[in-house]
Amino acid sequence: MLGKLQYLTVTHLDIVYAINLLSQFVAAPRRTHMVAVERVLRFLKCTPGQGILLTAKGPMKLEAYCDADWAGCLDTRQSCTGYLIKVGGSPVSWKSKKQSMVARSSVDAEYRAMATTVSEVIWL
């Protein structure tokens, strides 16, 4: 079930974080995790037809947004990085991932998120 939901994250950015979080418990799932999966499925059922729209018109302007939470994971105290990159108003790259190191401050977490985003922009 979770693998199919991961496939949907290609076009549904609004479930990326939830699916990323649930994927951490695949080895030892509990009832609470299944309840969370059912909640995601109900959300998808209530929002049909919503997803990514790639337009051919408009200026080819590059926009990048990033954010991080400081020590957001209560188990490991790792921060989470997220970014979205748009070209011409359409999303072309996005990511939500735990940072590999524990940040000592919110500034450190935000700086790591920005560095990850800039690296992706340079690659694009």
Side-chain angles (χ1 to χ4, degrees), residues 13-110:
L13 296 177
D14 42 7
I15 64 169
V16 170
Y17 180 77
I19 301 304
N20 183 3
L21 188 64
L22 288 168
S23 296
Q24 298 173 31
F25 301 100
V26 171
R30 298 216 165 105
R31 177 73 187 137
T32 56
H33 302 121
M34 188 58 189
V35 169
V37 168
E38 290 170 354
R39 187 173 179 175
V40 171
L41 290 172
R42 278 195 308 273
F43 171 77
L44 290 171
K45 184 179 179 183
C46 294
T47 57
Q50 292 186 3
I52 297 174
L53 176 65
L54 300 174
T55 60
K57 299 178 182 178
M60 293 302 286
K61 180 180 170 186
L62 179 75
E63 300 173 84
Y65 303 93
C66 68
D67 195 17
D69 67 343
W70 180 46
C73 180
L74 299 177
D75 297 328
T76 62
R77 288 297 179 200
Q78 288 176 305
S79 304
C80 183
T81 292
Y83 67 77
L84 169 69
I85 300 171
K86 296 163 66 174
V87 175
S90 300
V92 293
S93 181
W94 57 87
K95 188 177 213 174
S96 175
K97 182 180 179 182
K98 273 188 193 178
Q99 294 179 356
S100 59
M101 304 175 116
V102 176
R104 294 183 180 213
S105 67
S106 60
V107 173
D108 188 18
E110 294 285 348

